[in-house]
Amino acid sequence: MRTVADGTLRIGVDVLDRTELRRLLTRPWFLRLSYAPEEVRLADRMGEERRLEFLAGRFAAKEAVVKVLGTGFLRGVAPRDICVDQTDDGAPVVVLRGRAATLGPAAIGLSITHKNDVVAAVALAVVTPADPPPATTLREDEAPMSLADTPEEAAATAFLRVRIGQEDAHYGGGLVDGAHVLRLFGDLVTEITARTDQDEGLLSEYSAVRFLAPVRPGDYLEARARLVRATRLRRVVELEAHKVIEAGTADDPSAVHVLSPPQPVCTATATTVIPMHKATARTRGGPSAPAGRPAAGTGAHAAAAPGPLPPATAKEA
């Protein structure tokens, strides 16, 4: 619908049931991916029910805004790049960051409403024909997009989605051993270290390993890693794996079930070390992390190196 000579009115609408987010909001990775830090800080000052209402309304607002932008989440825009702030009188205000800021119009009007468990949001903006540009799955440097779209976030996080094959079954009943999930974790930590230290590093230990649900052939897993601490030689990475699609049962073997919310499968913390000469080179002014990354070198690696792994012969469920 035309409203001005060179502009187009664009509307985005989203409706959700806030109870759909209740379990997801207990997971740190979901909060980091979906909300700006100030949104989380504001929500944490609220009681449990008000916090759920507030964050559900913000998530619906982000969905409405991304429709105005003409793209989708994870296609160049992360949910946290759309911050829903508020004025002194409580009215919602849209603040765009990162890739979203390059796509968005100068101003986006927003309204959020609640009724019982239903949350609705409407976003409104006038855009010119050249704004926004086409959505892309590449960053400006032509590198593939991951969940993190800034160099700093790309260095400190990693993500994998895999389908478990029949060849991965290890135990009777078609169960997959927990060591398989740990191998996925190893690939994630290796990517972080490769990006930040230009080195594969060497795994020192896994700690706080918890196997929370069984994995079977046909399941789809999402695994995520985040760098949480870096010293001169050590890198500490938090790891999470969730089942997002579950394979069918023996009674209906070709059926699959999309899990909403995803089911936690395993969590762990990995510690890895980089070679002494890499840290020495940084100290002496040698190769260093790219601008914007933590100065001490912020990578980690989980190669197939000796470490106190859980026994691979016990069933992890």
Side-chain angles (χ1 to χ4, degrees), residues 192-201 278 282 287-290 293:
I192 290 178
T193 307
R195 290 181 181 276
T196 58
D197 290 284
Q198 294 78 51
D199 191 271
E200 292 188 347
K278 289 291 183 72
R282 293 175 187 272
S288 58
R293 299 179 185 172

Side-chain angles (χ1 to χ4, degrees), residues 281-303:
R282 293 175 187 272
T283 303
R284 294 176 179 175
S288 58
R293 299 179 185 172
T298 56
H301 168 61

Side-chain angles (χ1 to χ4, degrees), residues 17-295:
D17 186 329
R18 70 177 187 173
T19 59
E20 297 173 355
L21 292 181
R22 188 182 296 273
R23 288 181 60 188
L24 285 173
L25 292 174
T26 65
R27 297 170 182 163
W29 69 263
F30 182 77
L31 289 172
R32 290 192 296 262
L33 172 68
S34 303
Y35 298 96
E38 54 264 48
E39 292 174 312
V40 176
R41 285 195 296 270
L42 185 57
D44 287 345
R45 302 191 192 113
M46 303 174 181
E48 182 179 354
E49 287 303 310
R50 173 60 184 133
R51 179 178 184 271
L52 174 62
E53 179 184 67
F54 174 85
L55 291 176
R58 261 48 186 177
F59 195 84
K62 294 167 188 283
E63 290 276 12
V65 170
V66 83
K67 293 169 184 175
V68 169
L69 300 182
T71 185
F73 287 140
L74 309 185
R75 293 187 60 219
V77 175
R80 63 175 174 271
D81 289 339
I82 301 172
C83 175
V84 183
D85 205 344
Q86 60 184 27
T87 63
D88 292 339
D89 59 3
V93 176
V94 177
V95 179
L96 301 180
R97 295 168 179 159
R99 177 72 173 168
T102 68
L103 296 174
I108 299 178
L110 180 66
S111 179
I112 307 172
T113 187
H114 304 261
K115 185 174 179 62
N116 297 327
D117 286 332
V118 177
V119 181
V122 178
L124 184 72
V126 175
V127 298
T128 63
D131 183 25
T136 179
T137 57
L138 299 179
R139 297 200 308 260
E140 292 180 359
D141 59 3
E142 301 301 315
M145 284 295 303
S146 66
L147 286 178
D149 61 87
T150 65
E152 297 86 353
E153 289 293 328
T157 61
F159 170 82
L160 281 175
R161 176 180 291 167
V162 298
R163 180 182 184 275
I164 304 300
Q166 187 63 47
E167 67 278 6
D168 299 316
H170 186 76
Y171 299 116
L175 288 175
V176 176
D177 61 327
H180 186 86
V181 179
L182 294 180
R183 285 193 292 272
L184 298 179
F185 285 170
D187 290 340
L188 293 173
V189 186
T190 300
E191 179 180 345
I192 290 178
T193 307
R195 290 181 181 276
T196 58
D197 290 284
Q198 294 78 51
D199 191 271
E200 292 188 347
L202 186 65
L203 179 67
S204 172
E205 68 171 342
Y206 281 121
S207 61
V209 178
R210 297 179 62 211
F211 294 101
L212 305 171
V215 178
R216 294 181 171 86
D219 291 345
Y220 283 77
L221 299 185
E222 287 186 355
R224 303 169 190 270
R226 176 174 290 269
L227 180 70
V228 295
R229 183 167 178 263
T231 65
R232 183 165 172 264
L233 294 177
R234 294 182 179 272
R235 314 288 178 252
V236 180
V237 180
E238 286 184 350
L239 300 149
E240 298 175 331
H242 289 78
K243 188 188 304 184
V244 294
I245 298 178
E246 188 172 51
T249 62
D251 296 333
D252 195 0
S254 64
V256 293
H257 308 283
V258 178
L259 302 179
S260 180
Q263 182 181 22
V265 168
C266 183
T267 60
T269 299
T271 302
T272 190
V273 297
I274 62 170
M276 179 71 74
H277 72 272
K278 289 291 183 72
T280 302
R282 293 175 187 272
T283 303
R284 294 176 179 175
S288 58
R293 299 179 185 172

